[in-house]
Amino acid sequence: EIVMTQSPLFLPVTPGEPASISCRSSQSLQKSNGYNYLDWYVQKPGQSPQLLIYLGSHRASGVPDRFSGSGSGTEFTLKISRVEAEDVGVYYCMEGLQILFTFGPGTRVEIK
Amino acid sequence: QVHLVESGGGVVQPATSLRLSCAASGFTFSNYPMYWVRQTPVKGLEWLAVVSYDGSNKNYADSVKGRFTISRDNVQNTLHLQMSTLRAEDTAVYYCVVRDEGYCTGGSCYSFDYWGQGAHVTVSS
């Protein structure tokens, strides 16, 4: 079983400022093809989770380029270059290696 | 446009059964694996079950194995989750999800990941 952890769990942000969330997995998420099977989701208030980043660093369709993902192996980061008010929500990392995946506990992003 | 619409949620007593359904449209249903995911305030988001594109392979989380059954109808484009011997801890929002593994080819990368709006299930006496 892969365990996913995130930090911080709560992130107050100022609009226009950058923000960063860390994610760690209990085992490497990199396959022999070189890709890292780590996704980032956001769940905005009252909505279902939606995919932001897949394979560690690729933005899903329609995701603004202020969002970026990086990292490899067991350490990953989601960055928002300039936070906007619409970015509030809970951000989850998720491993995509197992048959049934595992989410991290989530990071709640709120505007200061 | 991909649409996933769950139905069948409600309030039920412990030890009873409930069947959730998910109507899919906007994509070729029979080409993709389908999942059920649930969300609770305590355990967060939990992937419960997956069924292969043709229904021949199914996998379950330990928390629901032996009690829940996932199935699909590729003619009606519908996904089901039969839940039995329900417990208070099964109280959750249940999401239907279509997802294919992201991949890159020819210099481009692709993802396919869509969620329904969720069905509320409350197990309480």
Side-chain angles (χ1 to χ4, degrees):
Chain A
E1 180 191 353
I2 299 175
V3 177
M4 306 296 293
T5 56
Q6 292 180 229
S7 64
L9 298 183
F10 177 68
L11 183 59
V13 296
T14 301
E17 294 296 306
S20 179
I21 300 170
S22 295
C23 173
R24 179 175 294 179
S25 59
S26 60
Q27 64 187 70
S28 177
L29 301 183
Q30 188 173 47
K31 282 189 176 180
S32 58
N33 60 12
Y35 291 107
N36 287 277
Y37 286 76
L38 185 283
D39 299 337
W40 289 95
Y41 286 79
V42 62
Q43 187 172 27
K44 296 183 178 181
Q47 297 184 17
S48 306
Q50 57 190 86
L51 183 66
L52 274 179
I53 302 286
Y54 63 100
L55 295 178
S57 62
H58 299 278
R59 278 188 299 276
S61 177
V63 173
D65 60 8
R66 65 179 180 275
F67 290 92
S68 64
S70 62
S72 185
T74 62
E75 305 271 348
F76 299 90
T77 302
L78 176 70
K79 292 183 179 177
I80 310 174
S81 59
R82 294 175 306 280
V83 172
E84 297 189 4
E86 67 182 30
D87 298 335
V88 298
V90 181
Y91 289 77
Y92 298 92
C93 62
M94 188 197 82
E95 61 82 14
L97 215 56
Q98 300 179 110
I99 295 174
L100 290 172
F101 318 116
T102 304
F103 281 100
T107 295
R108 183 173 299 277
V109 172
E110 292 186 357
I111 300 295
K112 282 183 182 175
Chain B
Q1 191 173 3
V2 173
H3 278 298
L4 299 170
V5 180
E6 300 95 339
S7 60
V11 180
V12 296
Q13 294 194 331
T16 62
S17 299
L18 193 65
R19 189 194 201 203
L20 301 181
S21 297
C22 170
S25 61
F27 65 104
T28 304
F29 182 74
S30 58
N31 284 357
Y32 293 92
M34 295 294 299
Y35 298 83
W36 287 101
V37 178
R38 72 181 177 187
Q39 184 171 30
T40 67
V42 173
K43 293 195 70 176
L45 288 160
E46 180 185 16
W47 294 82
L48 295 182
V50 57
V51 59
S52 60
Y53 70 99
D54 61 356
S56 62
N57 287 299
K58 303 174 184 181
N59 283 276
Y60 299 92
D62 288 345
S63 58
V64 303
K65 197 175 295 182
R67 298 189 301 124
F68 290 13
T69 302
I70 189 171
S71 63
R72 65 188 298 158
D73 182 335
N74 284 350
V75 174
Q76 298 291 327
N77 291 349
T78 306
L79 178 71
H80 301 288
L81 185 68
Q82 179 67 46
M83 305 184 291
S84 62
T85 322
L86 283 162
R87 307 166 180 165
E89 54 264 37
D90 296 319
T91 295
V93 177
Y94 286 74
Y95 295 101
C96 166
V97 179
V98 59
R99 173 190 163 90
D100 208 1
E101 188 176 88
Y103 68 97
C104 298
T105 182
S108 296
C109 297
Y110 304 90
S111 66
F112 191 82
D113 188 293
Y114 295 90
W115 294 56
Q117 86 287 351
H120 292 256
V121 174
T122 301
V123 184
S124 174
S125 54

